[in-house]
Amino acid sequence: MRPRDVIYFDFAATTPLDERVLQIMQPYWNEAFGNPSSIHAYGQTAEATLDDARQLSAAFLNARPAEILFTSGGTESDNLALRGVALARRAQTGADTLLISPVEHPAVTQTARQLVDVFGFKLKFLPTDCYGQVEAQSVEAELCDGTALVSVIYANNEIGSINPIAEIGAICRQRNIPFHSDAVQAAAHLPMNVAADAVDLLSIGAHKLYGPKGVGALYVRAGTPLLNLQTGGGQENGRRAGTENIAYIAGMAEALRLTREEAPGRRQQMICLRDEIIQQVLSIIPGAVLTGHPSNRLPNHASFALDHVNGNLLLMLLDQAGFACSSGSACKVGNPKPSEVLAVLGLPASYAYGSLRITLGKTSTQEEVEKLLTTLPGLVARARKLKTGEA
Ligand SMILES: *Cc1c(COP(=O)(O)O)cnc(C)c1O
């Protein structure tokens, strides 16, 4: 079933399940199948598992267990944070302006747009620099009494840049305005500390850090206004109704525990491979520029824009040659709209369709990287020729 002989360089899109996570999940399908809301022994076992998972998830974020809400993934966490807080804050205070960065994941951007189009909110975008990073001072300058919520991505999925979350958090906390950060990419690589970062809400998802797809969490600091978006039973302290997916939640908790233990040890090796990719691509491929910050970026993340290259065509050539890479956005064939994130970097128009993202994982090796770097220049040249009809 595994696509044979294709080397995986797309760990920012998703990661394989860790074998140890799979083991942890196994009993919950048929043996320990109880509903945590039940009074009997089956229910108690499930409830104990849920409690343990909440403890582990809280420890991962330096939060309290009661502040962890399990969701169906990063997308739901972002939706709940934005819509839940925006609607609750407006009802409480009349604040009706959303302040977000222009480099958010679509789970944030599209939720904000819907809040504008359907619910009558106002939307303001923060400025960013040429690395796609938000400066804390600009948040300070844009905040006003009408700000319902601020949302800034922890580390961007397309260009890898890390934002100064603790500085932005301090500013929002001072003004008492809820601050959300999407840490779905960042949590796989950077130590998470919601207290030190002064965030009120933080989204994570399991499948970007060797856990299962379809499960995530939202940290909600005690006292943060949040409208319950999924009504029903009293699960998750009445904030997210529906019988909990115990197998996935236990799997995520184990993935978080392993990430906390093992990610710091992988960091330096990953940075070395990343920097080799960056340095080599920039020196051997003409018309290549780095997107995102040169050093203040995710340790596994190398991303580029290539002059006069159709990125999707290059990805197909790479796939045929045995390399799974990405353009960084969900831009599919036949949808030639350049990504909104790339658009804010101020690149010349001839670079707009040529994005290439290479993301490493815990199994990536020097040998794999060297194979890629040997093949890539020829494929870029071929993509340029094919596009201009020369070959
Ligand atoms: C993957 C991702 C999401 C969406 O998470 P899902 O669990 O796939 O729904 C949100 N934000 C960022 C930054 C991501 O990388």
Side-chain angles (χ1 to χ4, degrees), residues 96-99 115-116 120-124:
D96 67 350
T97 302
L98 311 169
L99 187 56
L115 283 163
V116 171
F121 281 82
K122 300 188 190 94
L123 176 57
K124 261 207 231 166

Side-chain angles (χ1 to χ4, degrees), residues 17 20-22 24-26 28-29 34-36 45-58 60 65 68-73 76 204-207 209-218 235-236 240-257:
L17 199 67
R20 295 164 292 181
V21 172
L22 185 60
I24 287 279
M25 291 167 67
Q26 219 72 59
Y28 300 106
W29 304 113
N35 183 329
T45 304
E47 195 181 14
T49 303
L50 194 59
D51 288 347
D52 289 349
R54 210 180 297 282
Q55 293 261 356
L56 282 169
S57 307
F60 180 83
I68 303 296
L69 235 150
F70 294 120
T71 68
S72 67
E76 186 191 325
I204 56 173
H207 77 94
L209 38 79
Y210 308 94
K213 293 167 183 60
V215 61
L218 179 66
Q235 290 92 352
E236 298 298 295
R240 200 257 189 192
T243 302
E244 302 86 347
N245 190 338
I246 300 296
Y248 281 22
I249 290 169
M252 175 169 68
E254 177 68 357
L256 292 174
R257 192 183 71 74

Side-chain angles (χ1 to χ4, degrees), residues 312-313 316 330-336:
N312 283 334
L313 174 60
M316 286 188 275
C331 180
K332 290 266 158 53
V333 185
N335 172 18

Side-chain angles (χ1 to χ4, degrees), residues 73-75 78 105 153 157 182 184-185 207-208:
T75 298
D78 286 345
H105 187 276
I153 195 166
N157 46 303
D182 174 342
V184 178
Q185 287 292 331
H207 77 94
K208 306 280 171 73

Side-chain angles (χ1 to χ4, degrees), residues 11-48:
F11 289 87
T14 195
T15 58
L17 199 67
D18 188 295
E19 282 297 327
R20 295 164 292 181
V21 172
L22 185 60
Q23 287 300 318
I24 287 279
M25 291 167 67
Q26 219 72 59
Y28 300 106
W29 304 113
N30 45 13
E31 282 165 44
F33 64 89
N35 183 329
S37 301
S38 303
I39 301 283
H40 48 63
Y42 292 89
Q44 287 164 29
T45 304
E47 195 181 14

Side-chain angles (χ1 to χ4, degrees), residues 98 108-118 123 125 340:
L98 311 169
V108 167
T109 321
Q110 296 305 107
T111 305
R113 293 224 164 92
Q114 194 200 52
L115 283 163
V116 171
D117 295 344
V118 181
L123 176 57
F125 286 102
E340 290 185 30

Side-chain angles (χ1 to χ4, degrees), residues 356-386:
L356 173 66
R357 179 183 75 183
I358 300 160
T359 48
L360 303 161
K362 60 182 179 178
T363 50
S364 299
T365 63
Q366 175 90 33
E367 198 196 343
E368 289 179 344
V369 167
E370 265 152 31
K371 274 191 191 158
L372 174 69
L373 290 172
T374 310
T375 316
L376 188 59
L379 295 182
V380 171
R382 238 182 99 201
R384 282 186 176 135
K385 275 190 191 154
L386 281 170

